Amino acid sequence: MDVTNNYVEELVKLYTQHMDRDYAEWSENYLRNQFAFLGIRTPIRRKLTKQFFREYGVPTKENLKDIIFILWERSEREYQKAALDILEKVKKELTPDDIPWLSSLLVKKSWWDTVDVLSPHIMGNLFTIYPELIAQYADQWIVDDNFWLQRSALLYQLYYKKRTDEKRLFQYILSRADSDEFFVQKAIGWVLREYAKTNPVAVRDFVSFNDLKPLSRREALKNL
């Protein structure tokens, strides 16, 4: 068995020992029965993953993509979460060469629980280090028909604070302000609410002078 499959199989053995059918059923219902679950509560899963990293380490750059893809292909949602945990551990080692395959994860088995980690934590970090990639990727995501890519474009700056490119953020929002998609409306409100912690005046003025959906407006102004 090759090293990539062996790594994943050892993680599968560990996770399988902690299955909880009742919690799996609750989790499946919570995510609208789109994904299967083992039923491992998040704090337990994180503890198990840390234990696994201590024993087996994190994947080398050579094996990273293959391991992430193998985990992403598995049925149970916990394995996509494990893949995200791995990416969080190695995100400082990622380079522009990784963006194409990382971007593919945004549109595969997409839901808020994966996109909301990939966009602000993984892509956001890469765009900070390599800002020249924003035009090539995020600027294309916001005009794509896939609303998960639209959400990803809106959220990559979520935790940028003073580093926020306000002009680009506001342009993205205005380009999707009339969207009827819940997850886009919610992302607009969320990123504005977060940016308001850094620049409340700019957010208040932006919301006042632009026509946003009620959900986006309500979320944006929640703490103002």
Side-chain angles (χ1 to χ4, degrees), residues 145-188:
D145 290 338
N146 186 302
F147 68 82
W148 291 115
L149 288 179
Q150 296 168 23
R151 184 175 172 97
S152 299
L154 291 162
L155 294 183
Y156 84 83
Q157 295 195 78
L158 186 64
Y159 302 119
Y160 274 22
K161 299 180 180 178
K162 291 183 178 180
R163 294 182 290 107
T164 298
D165 181 342
E166 184 181 289
K167 181 180 177 181
R168 181 175 254 114
L169 176 63
F170 288 172
Q171 285 176 340
Y172 281 8
I173 291 170
L174 291 176
S175 74
R176 290 298 172 187
D178 62 350
S179 174
D180 291 324
E181 173 53 53
F182 170 83
F183 288 107
V184 173
Q185 293 181 23
K186 191 81 170 179
I188 289 171

Side-chain angles (χ1 to χ4, degrees), residues 183-211:
F183 288 107
V184 173
Q185 293 181 23
K186 191 81 170 179
I188 289 171
W190 186 16
V191 72
L192 285 173
R193 185 173 75 247
E194 195 66 28
Y195 184 48
K197 297 175 184 177
T198 298
N199 195 338
V201 173
V203 171
R204 191 179 291 112
D205 287 348
F206 179 79
V207 173
S208 296
F209 292 115
N210 292 285
D211 186 19

Side-chain angles (χ1 to χ4, degrees), residues 15-97:
Y15 275 15
T16 303
Q17 294 170 15
H18 297 270
M19 294 172 62
D20 180 336
R21 188 59 242 167
D22 289 340
Y23 189 65
E25 185 175 346
W26 181 91
S27 301
E28 288 161 9
N29 290 333
Y30 182 62
L31 290 194
R32 303 182 187 179
N33 294 301
Q34 297 181 97
F35 312 105
F37 278 81
L38 295 170
I40 306 174
R41 295 176 185 273
T42 298
I44 297 173
R45 185 187 58 76
R46 287 176 176 160
K47 185 177 179 180
L48 292 173
T49 306
K50 286 182 180 179
Q51 173 188 330
F52 182 80
F53 287 157
R54 284 195 298 270
E55 187 170 351
Y56 294 95
V58 294
T60 64
K61 193 67 188 297
E62 179 185 7
N63 299 320
L64 178 65
K65 177 183 173 182
D66 288 342
I67 287 173
I68 296 299
F69 276 9
I70 292 170
L71 288 168
W72 218 262
E73 287 297 326
R74 293 195 70 90
S75 302
E76 294 85 4
R77 198 59 166 170
E78 285 87 350
Y79 295 116
Q80 284 90 69
K81 299 293 186 67
L84 295 174
D85 289 341
I86 291 171
L87 289 174
E88 285 271 22
K89 293 283 284 186
V90 304
K91 66 182 179 182
K92 292 181 180 179
E93 302 169 26
L94 299 172
T95 71
D97 291 339

